[in-house]
Amino acid sequence: MPAALEGHGTQAEEIGVLGEAALADGVRGISHAPYKSGVIGINDAASPQAGPGVQGVGKVGAGVVGESERWHGIYGKTDSTIGGAGVMGEGAAGGPGVLGKSQHWHGVYGETSAAGTTGAAAV
């Protein structure tokens, strides 16, 4: 696949592409194509120790922020057959694992197709 800018890390701990800025975004991706992403991360390692496709880390602010004018701010989906969740939250030091807040509908909404299954619950 042709690229305007390309980088390849071939050694352990060698970064493929690095962007850093003191007073602006370190890396920014913008796409004008229908059904394409501005930025995409893929980890195709097949081992159980495979890392995430995208990771966000915030020292003080949020690790990942998603916003949308017409759909979900953040969407998660899994095809796991061993218990992986579409979205998982874990709180430490007294914070909630998942927090929901809404001005005009449910703060947290759940739905399940597993009616009658022992232990199945929408929320």
Side-chain angles (χ1 to χ4, degrees):
M1 173 178 318
L5 174 67
E6 191 171 327
H8 296 275
T10 58
Q11 305 297 316
E13 302 297 318
E14 184 179 32
I15 296 170
V17 176
L18 173 67
E20 185 173 337
L23 299 173
D25 296 330
V27 175
R28 180 182 293 197
I30 299 172
S31 174
H32 301 286
Y35 305 107
K36 296 297 180 183
S37 300
V39 175
I40 187 167
I42 299 170
N43 182 336
D44 63 358
S47 74
Q49 296 82 22
V54 175
Q55 179 175 341
V57 177
K59 189 171 187 175
V60 176
V64 175
V65 174
E67 294 183 25
S68 175
E69 292 182 11
R70 298 183 185 219
W71 206 46
H72 305 299
I74 296 177
Y75 171 82
K77 178 183 185 285
T78 181
D79 292 323
S80 174
T81 58
I82 60 171
V87 176
M88 187 271 193
E90 182 175 342
V98 175
L99 181 131
K101 181 179 176 182
S102 176
Q103 303 239 342
H104 301 287
W105 208 48
H106 305 294
V108 174
Y109 171 82
E111 191 173 302
T112 182
S113 303
T117 302
T118 303
V123 174

